[in-house]
Amino acid sequence: MEPRPAARPRSVADSPRSYPTRPIVAAAAVVLDEGRVLLIRRKSPPNAGLWTFPGGAVELAETVRQCAARETLEETGVQVEVTSIVEVVDAVFRDDSGCPLYHYVIVDCLAHPLGGEPRPASDALEVRWIPIEEALGLDLARPTGEVLRKAAQLPEEPRNPRPA
């Protein structure tokens, strides 16, 4: 195992999540519906300009599933039911000197829409329902494509009916 570079000290200009002292636990929702996936194009680093699943940091006393549902509603306006965990992803972004600039442990959860119309929040450039095959050809954040392929292969799970 090679030694880790020391964390760079924060400056006033740094994001509160840049140059962390430990990984940040996050959750994302892989929202599937009738052969489509709900994706957002991120506005801010990391992954600015890239398409990915809605998601964000888990808050204190919040479960991963609650976080995935909350973040999806906040970022897209779509209410979801989270049914299962698809994948756990280590997302480590390093600066030019090799120091960890961002480090997230992301729990990707399968989810299904309950209601709401997609609209981008302030941290998203765009939000859209996209056919899965078309989505796989977009400029995706790593490893969104692999997680999407895995989620699309999972058997349909029983879920609560949509509210009237």
Side-chain angles (χ1 to χ4, degrees):
M1 178 185 230
E2 58 185 77
R4 296 182 311 171
R8 187 183 74 87
R10 290 182 186 269
S11 75
V12 175
D14 288 335
S15 153
R17 295 186 180 160
S18 63
Y19 297 102
T21 57
R22 62 185 50 204
I24 296 168
V25 178
V30 184
V31 187
L32 301 180
D33 189 45
E34 298 177 2
R36 304 173 305 162
V37 61
L38 184 66
L39 293 179
I40 66 168
R41 198 159 59 93
R42 293 257 172 230
K43 183 185 270 186
S44 305
N47 296 323
L50 301 177
W51 290 93
T52 191
F53 309 117
V58 176
E59 295 179 353
L60 186 64
E62 180 179 52
T63 69
V64 213
R65 287 176 169 85
Q66 289 168 338
C67 175
R70 175 185 53 78
E71 287 284 346
T72 301
L73 183 61
E74 288 175 3
E75 292 183 350
T76 71
V78 175
Q79 184 179 10
V80 298
E81 174 189 16
V82 175
T83 59
S84 61
I85 294 173
V86 177
E87 187 68 77
V88 178
V89 174
D90 293 299
V92 180
F93 301 84
R94 296 186 181 277
D95 67 13
D96 293 338
S97 68
C99 291
L101 178 58
Y102 298 99
H103 184 172
Y104 294 94
V105 175
I106 306 168
V107 181
D108 288 313
C109 301
L110 184 61
H112 303 284
L114 296 175
E117 289 301 315
R119 49 134 186 83
S122 61
D123 54 352
L125 294 170
E126 221 176 323
V127 58
R128 289 188 355 213
W129 282 109
I130 304 170
I132 292 172
E133 288 305 314
E134 181 183 330
L136 292 169
L138 294 176
D139 197 7
L140 300 173
R142 193 177 53 83
T144 302
E146 292 84 358
V147 174
L148 178 55
R149 282 185 191 92
K150 183 175 180 179
Q153 297 302 313
L154 294 173
E156 279 290 319
E157 294 187 14
R159 58 185 196 223
N160 296 331
R162 292 183 187 191

